[in-house]
Amino acid sequence: MRILKCDTYEEMSRSAADQVAAQLLVKPDSHLGLTAGKTPLGMFAELVKLFREGRISFARAHFYNLEEMVGWGPEDEASCCRYLRRNLIDLTDADPKNLLLPNGLSSDIDSECAKYDALFDALPDGRLDMQVLGIGSDGHIGCNRPQEKLHVESHNVRLGPDRYAAAMGMRSILLAKRLVLVANGKDKAQAVADMCGGVITTAVPATFLQLHPDVTVILDKDAASLI
Ligand code: PGA
């Protein structure tokens, strides 16, 4: 696990964008797993900037996300698909056809999840080239929340009253060739410390990242304050 400690959120965002940009320069047709939280907004803004400066192209890349919200279609503001279009796809040369998220409007979310895993299995190497992650203050990654048993495969998960998501399972996350995790703020510091050095436990799903051979953790000062 490589840990990059940055002074500010802006520096963290630039550093994360550099990781994604480097991936695209090496492999322009990369299959990129993204995350739609608050943390990566700065990273997306930096990626858009790099695109506008003519330094990277997204034209040949394919995009996935850690989850899609059940009940929301690609055009709905609350969907992850829309989030990625708003913050990256529509602001660059990325092809919207290459944005491959589960369909949150499907009447059969279980089969959407199975299809999502089949998509990853069918990739040239059977896995994503890179997955960008955030972390929850409880140590969750994606929608894989602390519990006794974690889901290996993509699954329909309840996030709250009337809120469900079709969520990528631990397998596809941990199989990605490279993981880049971004975190900022004091409320993430304990989860980050557990992730980096705590015992591996389903009570802190991010601890499983310790088993991955190529993880870059990019933190602002506050998120790094306990390591
Ligand atoms: P956040 O979410 O970026 O909105 O803090 C992180 C996460 O839940 O993975």
Side-chain angles (χ1 to χ4, degrees):
M1 199 176 264
R2 232 175 347 265
I3 300 173
L4 307 181
K5 296 183 187 178
C6 303
D7 279 334
T8 62
Y9 173 79
E10 289 71 26
E11 200 187 310
M12 179 208 82
S13 300
R14 275 195 296 276
S15 177
D18 285 348
Q19 297 285 330
V20 176
Q23 174 65 37
L24 283 171
L25 289 175
V26 171
K27 189 169 185 284
D29 58 347
S30 287
H31 291 267
L32 299 175
L34 300 171
T35 177
K38 198 160 144 245
T39 315
L41 285 172
M43 177 194 79
F44 287 128
E46 289 294 333
L47 285 170
V48 170
K49 198 164 139 215
L50 290 174
F51 164 74
R52 288 186 177 148
E53 289 167 359
R55 293 164 65 187
I56 46 169
S57 168
F58 296 89
R60 294 176 57 202
H62 285 74
F63 309 90
Y64 309 82
N65 197 58
L66 285 171
E67 74 275 332
E68 179 53 286
M69 307 312 293
V70 172
W72 302 107
E75 299 305 326
D76 289 316
E77 282 306 309
S79 72
C80 294
C81 190
R82 192 80 210 123
Y83 170 105
L84 291 179
R85 292 206 50 161
R86 193 167 56 240
N87 292 297
L88 183 73
I89 308 294
D90 292 351
L91 306 177
T92 65
D93 62 347
D95 185 343
K97 285 202 293 298
N98 291 346
L99 183 55
L100 303 170
L101 273 56
N103 176 8
L105 288 180
S106 168
S107 57
D108 186 352
I109 294 298
D110 288 344
S111 101
E112 280 300 306
C113 291
K115 277 196 282 184
Y116 207 38
D117 283 341
L119 259 187
F120 302 130
D121 291 342
L123 292 179
D125 296 308
R127 56 202 185 125
L128 292 166
D129 291 300
M130 173 181 275
Q131 175 66 54
V132 180
L133 299 163
I135 184 171
S137 51
D138 61 358
H140 70 243
I141 43 171
C143 295
N144 299 283
R145 292 170 184 267
Q147 51 194 324
E148 208 175 307
K149 293 177 182 174
L150 299 178
H151 287 265
V152 172
E153 294 175 341
S154 297
H155 52 285
N156 188 358
V157 60
R158 183 175 185 269
L159 300 177
D162 292 329
R163 281 188 77 230
Y164 290 82
M168 196 189 289
M170 293 298 285
R171 179 168 64 107
S172 299
I173 295 173
L174 291 174
L175 267 181
K177 288 183 210 168
R178 297 182 60 206
L179 298 178
V180 174
L181 185 141
V182 279
N184 70 296
K186 274 218 162 6
D187 61 317
K188 303 286 176 78
Q190 187 58 56
V192 165
D194 291 343
M195 169 179 72
C196 297
V199 291
I200 296 172
T201 168
T202 62
V204 186
T207 55
F208 281 82
L209 268 53
Q210 292 176 33
L211 299 172
H212 193 284
D214 190 345
V215 187
T216 303
V217 177
I218 308 174
L219 308 167
D220 80 342
K221 208 182 250 168
D222 287 339
S225 58
L226 296 179
I227 54 173

mmCIF file of all heavy atoms in Angstrom, residues 180-206:
data_model
loop_
_atom_site.group_PDB
_atom_site.id
_atom_site.type_symbol
_atom_site.label_atom_id
_atom_site.label_comp_id
_atom_site.label_asym_id
_atom_site.label_seq_id
_atom_site.Cartn_x
_atom_site.Cartn_y
_atom_site.Cartn_z
ATOM 1 N N VAL A 180 -6.980 3.118 -6.467
ATOM 2 C CA VAL A 180 -6.601 4.456 -6.005
ATOM 3 C C VAL A 180 -7.691 4.912 -5.052
ATOM 4 O O VAL A 180 -8.859 5.029 -5.449
ATOM 5 C CB VAL A 180 -6.484 5.448 -7.187
ATOM 6 C CG1 VAL A 180 -6.235 6.861 -6.678
ATOM 7 C CG2 VAL A 180 -5.353 5.028 -8.125
ATOM 8 N N LEU A 181 -7.347 5.106 -3.794
ATOM 9 C CA LEU A 181 -8.343 5.512 -2.799
ATOM 10 C C LEU A 181 -8.061 6.940 -2.345
ATOM 11 O O LEU A 181 -6.925 7.271 -2.001
ATOM 12 C CB LEU A 181 -8.323 4.543 -1.614
ATOM 13 C CG LEU A 181 -9.407 4.800 -0.554
ATOM 14 C CD1 LEU A 181 -9.967 3.491 -0.025
ATOM 15 C CD2 LEU A 181 -8.880 5.672 0.596
ATOM 16 N N VAL A 182 -9.089 7.761 -2.383
ATOM 17 C CA VAL A 182 -8.939 9.154 -1.932
ATOM 18 C C VAL A 182 -9.772 9.380 -0.673
ATOM 19 O O VAL A 182 -10.894 8.874 -0.548
ATOM 20 C CB VAL A 182 -9.385 10.177 -3.014
ATOM 21 C CG1 VAL A 182 -8.301 10.405 -4.028
ATOM 22 C CG2 VAL A 182 -10.675 9.758 -3.696
ATOM 23 N N ALA A 183 -9.209 10.142 0.258
ATOM 24 C CA ALA A 183 -9.948 10.476 1.480
ATOM 25 C C ALA A 183 -9.484 11.821 2.013
ATOM 26 O O ALA A 183 -8.291 12.132 1.986
ATOM 27 C CB ALA A 183 -9.754 9.394 2.549
ATOM 28 N N ASN A 184 -10.425 12.597 2.476
ATOM 29 C CA ASN A 184 -10.081 13.870 3.128
ATOM 30 C C ASN A 184 -10.964 14.052 4.356
ATOM 31 O O ASN A 184 -12.033 13.445 4.473
ATOM 32 C CB ASN A 184 -10.255 15.045 2.165
ATOM 33 C CG ASN A 184 -11.712 15.316 1.840
ATOM 34 O OD1 ASN A 184 -12.386 14.466 1.236
ATOM 35 N ND2 ASN A 184 -12.212 16.472 2.226
ATOM 36 N N GLY A 185 -10.485 14.862 5.257
ATOM 37 C CA GLY A 185 -11.300 15.217 6.424
ATOM 38 C C GLY A 185 -11.030 14.347 7.638
ATOM 39 O O GLY A 185 -10.708 13.166 7.529
ATOM 40 N N LYS A 186 -11.183 14.966 8.801
ATOM 41 C CA LYS A 186 -10.918 14.291 10.086
ATOM 42 C C LYS A 186 -11.842 13.105 10.317
ATOM 43 O O LYS A 186 -11.459 12.127 10.950
ATOM 44 C CB LYS A 186 -11.098 15.302 11.233
ATOM 45 C CG LYS A 186 -9.864 16.127 11.545
ATOM 46 C CD LYS A 186 -9.727 16.347 13.055
ATOM 47 C CE LYS A 186 -8.367 16.761 13.532
ATOM 48 N NZ LYS A 186 -7.327 17.049 12.613
ATOM 49 N N ASP A 187 -13.074 13.191 9.797
ATOM 50 C CA ASP A 187 -14.022 12.097 10.045
ATOM 51 C C ASP A 187 -13.607 10.795 9.350
ATOM 52 O O ASP A 187 -14.132 9.735 9.665
ATOM 53 C CB ASP A 187 -15.444 12.504 9.628
ATOM 54 C CG ASP A 187 -15.537 12.837 8.151
ATOM 55 O OD1 ASP A 187 -14.621 13.519 7.643
ATOM 56 O OD2 ASP A 187 -16.504 12.399 7.512
ATOM 57 N N LYS A 188 -12.638 10.875 8.440
ATOM 58 C CA LYS A 188 -12.164 9.656 7.766
ATOM 59 C C LYS A 188 -10.892 9.102 8.417
ATOM 60 O O LYS A 188 -10.429 8.027 8.054
ATOM 61 C CB LYS A 188 -11.891 9.939 6.282
ATOM 62 C CG LYS A 188 -13.072 10.503 5.483
ATOM 63 C CD LYS A 188 -14.109 9.449 5.194
ATOM 64 C CE LYS A 188 -15.344 10.010 4.492
ATOM 65 N NZ LYS A 188 -15.150 10.244 3.080
ATOM 66 N N ALA A 189 -10.296 9.866 9.345
ATOM 67 C CA ALA A 189 -8.962 9.529 9.854
ATOM 68 C C ALA A 189 -8.901 8.144 10.510
ATOM 69 O O ALA A 189 -7.957 7.380 10.264
ATOM 70 C CB ALA A 189 -8.484 10.609 10.834
ATOM 71 N N GLN A 190 -9.883 7.807 11.330
ATOM 72 C CA GLN A 190 -9.839 6.513 12.009
ATOM 73 C C GLN A 190 -9.992 5.357 11.021
ATOM 74 O O GLN A 190 -9.264 4.355 11.085
ATOM 75 C CB GLN A 190 -10.931 6.429 13.089
ATOM 76 C CG GLN A 190 -10.839 5.175 13.963
ATOM 77 C CD GLN A 190 -9.485 5.041 14.678
ATOM 78 O OE1 GLN A 190 -9.078 5.939 15.400
ATOM 79 N NE2 GLN A 190 -8.775 3.935 14.456
ATOM 80 N N ALA A 191 -10.939 5.506 10.100
ATOM 81 C CA ALA A 191 -11.136 4.456 9.089
ATOM 82 C C ALA A 191 -9.871 4.285 8.253
ATOM 83 O O ALA A 191 -9.479 3.155 7.921
ATOM 84 C CB ALA A 191 -12.335 4.804 8.198
ATOM 85 N N VAL A 192 -9.228 5.393 7.918
ATOM 86 C CA VAL A 192 -7.987 5.337 7.136
ATOM 87 C C VAL A 192 -6.904 4.606 7.927
ATOM 88 O O VAL A 192 -6.196 3.742 7.393
ATOM 89 C CB VAL A 192 -7.531 6.763 6.744
ATOM 90 C CG1 VAL A 192 -6.081 6.773 6.273
ATOM 91 C CG2 VAL A 192 -8.450 7.336 5.662
ATOM 92 N N ALA A 193 -6.772 4.933 9.210
ATOM 93 C CA ALA A 193 -5.759 4.279 10.042
ATOM 94 C C ALA A 193 -6.033 2.777 10.133
ATOM 95 O O ALA A 193 -5.112 1.953 10.017
ATOM 96 C CB ALA A 193 -5.744 4.911 11.436
ATOM 97 N N ASP A 194 -7.297 2.410 10.298
ATOM 98 C CA ASP A 194 -7.649 0.978 10.351
ATOM 99 C C ASP A 194 -7.339 0.303 9.019
ATOM 100 O O ASP A 194 -6.813 -0.816 8.975
ATOM 101 C CB ASP A 194 -9.133 0.803 10.671
ATOM 102 C CG ASP A 194 -9.465 1.212 12.101
ATOM 103 O OD1 ASP A 194 -8.524 1.313 12.924
ATOM 104 O OD2 ASP A 194 -10.664 1.436 12.385
ATOM 105 N N MET A 195 -7.694 0.988 7.946
ATOM 106 C CA MET A 195 -7.466 0.429 6.610
ATOM 107 C C MET A 195 -5.982 0.152 6.374
ATOM 108 O O MET A 195 -5.613 -0.879 5.823
ATOM 109 C CB MET A 195 -7.967 1.409 5.553
ATOM 110 C CG MET A 195 -7.546 1.056 4.140
ATOM 111 S SD MET A 195 -8.186 2.224 2.941
ATOM 112 C CE MET A 195 -7.182 3.670 3.260
ATOM 113 N N CYS A 196 -5.154 1.084 6.825
ATOM 114 C CA CYS A 196 -3.717 0.969 6.531
ATOM 115 C C CYS A 196 -3.006 -0.011 7.466
ATOM 116 O O CYS A 196 -2.063 -0.673 7.059
ATOM 117 C CB CYS A 196 -3.040 2.332 6.620
ATOM 118 S SG CYS A 196 -3.658 3.498 5.398
ATOM 119 N N GLY A 197 -3.483 -0.103 8.707
ATOM 120 C CA GLY A 197 -2.693 -0.903 9.639
ATOM 121 C C GLY A 197 -3.482 -1.779 10.585
ATOM 122 O O GLY A 197 -2.905 -2.497 11.398
ATOM 123 N N GLY A 198 -4.804 -1.764 10.479
ATOM 124 C CA GLY A 198 -5.611 -2.561 11.404
ATOM 125 C C GLY A 198 -5.718 -4.007 10.952
ATOM 126 O O GLY A 198 -5.299 -4.354 9.848
ATOM 127 N N VAL A 199 -6.264 -4.851 11.818
ATOM 128 C CA VAL A 199 -6.473 -6.245 11.421
ATOM 129 C C VAL A 199 -7.538 -6.283 10.322
ATOM 130 O O VAL A 199 -8.435 -5.428 10.268
ATOM 131 C CB VAL A 199 -6.939 -7.138 12.607
ATOM 132 C CG1 VAL A 199 -5.839 -7.314 13.615
ATOM 133 C CG2 VAL A 199 -8.203 -6.585 13.242
ATOM 134 N N ILE A 200 -7.402 -7.253 9.439
ATOM 135 C CA ILE A 200 -8.352 -7.371 8.328
ATOM 136 C C ILE A 200 -9.647 -7.972 8.863
ATOM 137 O O ILE A 200 -9.652 -9.073 9.426
ATOM 138 C CB ILE A 200 -7.747 -8.242 7.207
ATOM 139 C CG1 ILE A 200 -6.505 -7.542 6.646
ATOM 140 C CG2 ILE A 200 -8.772 -8.496 6.107
ATOM 141 C CD1 ILE A 200 -5.705 -8.377 5.677
ATOM 142 N N THR A 201 -10.709 -7.201 8.726
ATOM 143 C CA THR A 201 -11.983 -7.625 9.286
ATOM 144 C C THR A 201 -13.146 -7.085 8.465
ATOM 145 O O THR A 201 -13.054 -5.961 7.935
ATOM 146 C CB THR A 201 -12.112 -7.147 10.761
ATOM 147 O OG1 THR A 201 -13.474 -7.335 11.185
ATOM 148 C CG2 THR A 201 -11.766 -5.682 10.930
ATOM 149 N N THR A 202 -14.213 -7.865 8.398
ATOM 150 C CA THR A 202 -15.402 -7.399 7.670
ATOM 151 C C THR A 202 -16.054 -6.227 8.404
ATOM 152 O O THR A 202 -16.900 -5.549 7.846
ATOM 153 C CB THR A 202 -16.434 -8.531 7.502
ATOM 154 O OG1 THR A 202 -16.874 -8.946 8.798
ATOM 155 C CG2 THR A 202 -15.844 -9.715 6.748
ATOM 156 N N ALA A 203 -15.635 -5.984 9.665
ATOM 157 C CA ALA A 203 -16.164 -4.834 10.409
ATOM 158 C C ALA A 203 -15.619 -3.521 9.849
ATOM 159 O O ALA A 203 -16.169 -2.445 10.114
ATOM 160 C CB ALA A 203 -15.815 -4.968 11.891
ATOM 161 N N VAL A 204 -14.515 -3.611 9.107
ATOM 162 C CA VAL A 204 -13.947 -2.447 8.397
ATOM 163 C C VAL A 204 -13.579 -2.940 6.990
ATOM 164 O O VAL A 204 -12.439 -3.343 6.739
ATOM 165 C CB VAL A 204 -12.692 -1.888 9.107
ATOM 166 C CG1 VAL A 204 -12.211 -0.598 8.434
ATOM 167 C CG2 VAL A 204 -12.964 -1.629 10.592
ATOM 168 N N PRO A 205 -14.555 -2.940 6.082
ATOM 169 C CA PRO A 205 -14.311 -3.557 4.770
ATOM 170 C C PRO A 205 -13.049 -3.051 4.064
ATOM 171 O O PRO A 205 -12.375 -3.803 3.358
ATOM 172 C CB PRO A 205 -15.578 -3.199 3.985
ATOM 173 C CG PRO A 205 -16.637 -3.122 5.041
ATOM 174 C CD PRO A 205 -15.959 -2.508 6.236
ATOM 175 N N ALA A 206 -12.685 -1.786 4.277
ATOM 176 C CA ALA A 206 -11.496 -1.243 3.598
ATOM 177 C C ALA A 206 -10.209 -1.943 4.029
ATOM 178 O O ALA A 206 -9.193 -1.857 3.330
ATOM 179 C CB ALA A 206 -11.384 0.257 3.856
#
